[in-house]
Amino acid sequence: MSTDLPPSSGVPTLEDVARVAGVSRATVSRVINGIRNVAPEIQEAVNRAIATTGYVPNRAARSLVTRRTGAIALVVSGAGDYSGDEPFESRVFADPFFGRVAGGVVGFLRPRGVHPVLMLAETAEARNEVIAYLRQGSADGALIVSTHGEDPLPRLLVDAGLPAVLWARPARPTPISYVDLAHRAGAALAADRLVERGCRRVATISGPFDVPASQDRLSGFQEAMAGHGHPYVPGVEGDFRQNSGEAGMHRLIKEHPDIDGVFVANDLMAQGAVLALRDHGRRVPEDVAVIGFDDSTAAACRPPLTTVRQPMEDMAAEMARMLLAHIEDPSLPVTSRIFQPALVVRQSA
């Protein structure tokens, strides 16, 4: 390999990289474009030469060769035609869950020169826009975070033959790769902790019943409590937002005033539950122990929440890795990766 640097005047070219690496221009092009069958030592020499010369590949020219854009759609999707009481985008950006997922995606993709494009798909029209965007080649694939169990977007992507990976197991059998958490095991950790604290009259605030993660957290908690000799656990349904946790806790206290422990299916609702308990003059954890789920920034309330942690950044990075693998090799079979939860003990339980 030559150590001569290109002239300081002018922008480094492909020929400069080839000269410094001691290989042909065509070999440099193959390395830059990720074409296989280039010996590892040659790839290393070319990469060193790129660093030495300061050469920046022409993305437009590269995309003509690879047919890739270097962009990934990060899609937050719903179901039906959204008609909530607040703008869909406001709900998305107010939820600390999405921030951690986006951070994990960006953290994985950015060092690889791939950039996420945020898209919201809360209506049929918006979902069609996502499909059209991908079909036009504006992005190489999609990472889907669904907020509703009946979200049709995963099936639409599969039927269109577009590369996509889903956050969480789909509600209906769909041949799409996904990452998820062992939610039942996480809920069982919460049950064990409440029983360990001596709680005898335990209740729960679940997430929406049509979301598989909510179903798993509820059934996992109920089964674990039954294993501890508590066959009946009163509960109410929430929607993962703080105000639903607050309303649910008010209802539980009214119907079951002797509650001494509650498992809440996410941290935002747990925040609301703590507020409701305070309204009723109940101390946390002295009178009622509270456990949340996610270990999001919402866990930093007063008192700080004991919660079940899901490693969202790691899960998001794995989702991105799986998508890049599918883009690189479309023949790969669909797959899943299930992560394990952990209990984070703080002051609320």
Side-chain angles (χ1 to χ4, degrees):
M1 181 180 77
S2 170
T3 59
D4 294 335
L5 296 178
S8 58
S9 59
V11 177
T13 66
L14 208 64
E15 287 76 11
D16 294 326
V17 176
R19 179 168 55 83
V20 172
V23 298
S24 70
R25 184 183 188 280
T27 298
V28 174
S29 180
R30 286 199 298 273
V31 172
I32 289 174
N33 291 317
I35 297 173
R36 298 177 180 179
N37 301 322
V38 179
E41 60 271 19
I42 298 297
Q43 294 184 40
E44 184 179 348
V46 170
N47 288 329
R48 284 200 305 267
I50 289 173
T52 299
T53 61
Y55 174 74
V56 177
N58 185 316
R59 285 192 173 274
R62 182 179 180 183
S63 66
L64 290 175
V65 176
T66 64
R67 297 185 182 275
R68 297 178 194 163
T69 65
I72 295 297
L74 175 57
V75 186
V76 182
S77 182
D81 289 311
Y82 182 75
S83 58
D85 56 0
E86 63 179 310
F88 185 70
E89 56 270 25
S90 296
R91 179 172 178 179
V92 169
F93 295 130
D95 192 330
F97 166 85
F98 296 112
R100 287 186 61 191
V101 172
V105 168
V106 171
F108 181 85
L109 293 179
R110 188 176 182 185
R112 291 160 176 81
V114 181
H115 304 283
V117 177
L118 178 64
M119 304 185 74
L120 303 181
E122 74 280 23
T123 65
E125 180 182 3
R127 285 189 289 276
N128 289 335
E129 290 175 358
V130 171
I131 298 296
Y133 188 81
L134 293 168
R135 278 178 165 163
Q136 292 165 3
S138 299
D140 300 321
L143 300 169
I144 309 299
V145 181
S146 289
T147 62
H148 197 289
E150 295 302 317
D151 182 5
L153 184 58
R155 171 55 70 175
L156 291 173
L157 290 164
V158 169
D159 291 344
L162 295 167
V165 177
L166 184 63
W167 176 283
R169 171 172 55 91
R172 299 178 183 275
T174 306
I176 187 170
S177 294
Y178 65 86
V179 300
D180 208 345
L181 187 80
H183 297 282
R184 289 175 180 265
L189 292 175
D192 294 345
R193 176 63 181 175
L194 291 174
V195 170
E196 178 186 313
R197 284 187 55 87
C199 297
R200 303 292 299 171
R201 297 168 297 280
V202 173
T204 185
I205 301 174
S206 77
F209 290 152
D210 64 342
V211 176
S214 298
Q215 299 167 9
D216 289 347
R217 292 176 193 181
L218 177 60
S219 60
F221 185 71
Q222 292 171 329
E223 290 169 4
M225 289 302 299
H228 287 295
H230 300 272
Y232 171 66
V233 176
V236 296
E237 179 185 11
D239 64 5
F240 286 142
R241 289 185 289 178
Q242 179 178 318
N243 58 359
S244 73
E246 190 170 358
M249 195 70 248
H250 280 299
R251 178 179 164 188
L252 285 172
I253 289 292
K254 180 179 178 181
E255 297 176 359
H256 307 276
D258 59 348
I259 286 173
D260 61 2
V262 61
F263 167 57
V264 190
N266 82 334
D267 294 336
L268 272 179
M269 291 195 300
Q271 268 192 352
V274 170
L275 292 175
L277 288 166
R278 193 172 299 156
D279 289 343
H280 288 274
R282 306 294 177 90
R283 298 169 301 165
V284 177
E286 292 85 356
D287 301 322
V288 182
V290 178
I291 296 181
F293 205 107
D294 286 340
D295 194 25
S296 66
T297 55
C301 61
R302 294 177 55 192
L305 285 176
T306 291
T307 185
V308 177
R309 185 177 194 275
Q310 55 174 329
M312 285 185 267
E313 290 83 0
D314 293 342
M315 294 169 68
E318 177 63 11
M319 182 169 62
R321 187 203 65 77
M322 290 165 65
L323 179 61
L324 294 187
H326 280 295
I327 293 169
E328 175 70 22
D329 185 356
S331 68
L332 288 176
V334 296
T335 188
S336 59
R337 171 80 186 278
I338 309 300
F339 287 74
Q340 294 301 313
L343 184 70
V344 180
V345 177
R346 298 192 180 97
Q347 295 176 22
S348 71

